[in-house]
Structure formats: structure tokens, C-alpha cells
Amino acid sequence: PFVVSGFSSWGPAQAQGVKLGWYVDIEATFFGSTSLPDIEEVGKAPETLAEAYRKIHDLHRRLCLLLDKPGICLVFCDSVAAELLAEAVVHPDGRSARQELGGFKASEGGGVELTGEGLLTGSKAHRAGVRAGWQLDLERSFPDRMDKESLQELFESSSEAFILQLPCLSVPRSLGSKALSEIEAVQVPRDCAMLRYEPNSGTFQALAETHEAFLAVGVPSGPAHPVPSSQQLA
């Protein structure tokens, strides 16, 4: 998450090819073979990468203070491997889960999902992207309180944290070499979705040779918004 936005002067980073927009490799810099000095102003250094990401603001402050010290070894990379986790940990923040998240209903897999009715706009959950169709991870949220009575009580609690997930929806489509006008619209039965493109070897090779790319366009649908036709998408 730390991006090079500028250089104060020419130095060893530019000499090695580091450019604006490159990233600090957190794992290699803070947990690699090169030891970094302690920073008393920030406190104890994180011991694991997971801890570092949980305390990312402290890590940023530590990095800024390290820049003023001589002999520091920083590792940069031109890209980062990351995967968006469709998950949110919701702390009701003085409101009950029902007040914050609105209505719940039983999902097809036997779990509990949000209906979207009563979801508090502007709440932490809403700002994190939680919408109708997200499911409550019961086992991780309440491992010792899975009975119906306890769940009803927890929904009214203003102190319990909830773990919500966007369930995976698999809609396999083979794009091949179709033109835009030939691609059919895929209607997602939720108001949010996570897209993942997984090319096969043939498609990947074709893309590499022709320098083509794919574009995903998301548009609202419903009574007032009919599903667009292939011609409209094109």
C-alpha cells in the first residue's frame, strides 16, 4: 500500500530503476534478511506480516522515520500481488446489528444473509461495501453461540462484532474471440459482485500476441432498468 510518489534527489533507488508509482515491498523490507533498527517512537516492531497489515498506520509511520536513518535497505517492486477479500468485520459502534445491518433471512445454504432492507446508509458496514446478499459467517462470528435463541439475542446486541462475506457466484462464460456485439449480458442476482477473469492457456496466448484486453461493464438492472442488449453493450 506504500507507493513512491516522488524523489527528493537522485539516489540508489533511481539508479536501480525504481520509478514513480512503484511500491515498497513490505514483506521483503520489514521481514527479509536485512535487519532494520528499532524505532522507539513507534514501539515494538510487528513480528508477522499479518500483524503489520493490521497496524498499517503504525507501519507507515515506522517507514517514514526509517527514511531519516542512514544505511537503510528498502526493497521496491513495480507491482503487487493482491486479492480483494469480499469480507467485512462489522463492529456495531453503539447500535445493534439489526439497527446497523437491517433485516436478515435464511439463505439457500442454511446460513443467514442480509435482505438489504433497513441497511443503514453511511454506516461503517455500508461504506465497506456491504449490501443485500452478503452472508453472516456464523461459525467465525459466534463459534460458541449457534442456537436460534442466542442468535436473536446477538442481533440485538450493540457489542458483538459480525463477520460478513460476499458469497461467490460462479457464472462460467467462454469468451473466445467473440466481438462485443456478440457477448450476452450476465445478470447478477445481487446489487454487488466480485469479478474474476481466469483465462485458459489458449486465450492467454492469443491476448499476448494481439495485445487485446477485456472490459467488464456493470450497469443497474431492475423494473426501471431493463437488462441491456448486446448492441447497447457494444
Side-chain angles (χ1 to χ4, degrees):
F2 303 143
V3 183
V4 177
S5 59
F7 298 99
S8 59
S9 61
W10 177 263
Q14 297 98 308
Q16 293 294 322
V18 177
K19 298 179 175 61
L20 296 180
W22 280 42
Y23 300 85
V24 176
D25 189 323
I26 293 178
E27 184 173 11
T29 298
F30 291 93
F31 303 97
S33 58
T34 305
S35 60
L36 295 173
D38 292 331
I39 304 294
E40 296 181 358
E41 296 93 327
V42 186
K44 185 180 178 181
E47 297 181 355
T48 64
L49 186 61
E51 181 184 357
Y53 277 111
R54 286 197 301 269
K55 302 177 180 178
I56 197 65
H57 296 291
D58 291 341
L59 192 71
H60 179 259
R61 186 182 176 206
R62 182 180 300 277
L63 175 63
C64 292
L65 293 173
L66 283 172
L67 294 177
D68 295 328
K69 295 186 177 294
I72 297 300
C73 178
L74 300 177
V75 181
F76 297 90
C77 53
D78 61 357
S79 60
V80 292
E83 180 178 354
L84 177 64
L85 297 178
E87 180 176 291
V89 181
V90 179
H91 298 271
D93 198 21
R95 292 181 289 265
S96 71
R98 197 175 299 281
Q99 290 174 321
E100 177 114 354
L101 302 173
F104 294 88
K105 69 176 182 179
S107 61
E108 294 181 359
V112 177
E113 71 176 48
L114 270 66
T115 64
E117 298 178 0
L119 178 62
L120 191 61
T121 303
S123 64
K124 291 181 179 179
H126 187 268
R127 293 199 302 270
V130 174
R131 298 293 188 273
W134 280 58
Q135 294 185 353
L136 176 63
D137 191 325
L138 295 172
E139 292 186 1
R140 294 171 60 200
S141 297
F142 321 113
D144 302 321
R145 305 176 67 179
M146 293 287 289
D147 58 279
K148 184 176 180 180
E149 289 74 15
S150 293
L151 290 177
Q152 291 294 339
E153 179 182 340
L154 290 167
F155 288 154
E156 304 300 335
S157 171
S158 61
S159 60
E160 298 285 349
F162 288 74
I163 300 177
L164 295 161
Q165 294 178 321
L166 176 61
C168 179
L169 178 66
S170 177
V171 185
R173 287 289 187 276
S174 177
L175 297 179
S177 59
K178 292 182 179 180
L180 272 176
S181 59
E182 300 173 330
I183 301 299
E184 296 180 358
V186 177
Q187 191 168 14
V188 180
R190 304 191 192 110
D191 56 3
C192 54
M194 179 173 62
L195 303 178
R196 177 181 294 158
Y197 172 63
E198 297 179 351
N200 56 39
S201 57
T203 304
F204 184 81
Q205 183 65 29
L207 285 174
E209 294 176 354
T210 61
H211 304 288
E212 293 180 352
F214 291 109
L215 174 66
V217 179
V219 295
S221 62
H225 302 88
V227 177
S229 65
S230 299
Q231 290 73 23
Q232 289 174 315
L233 290 174

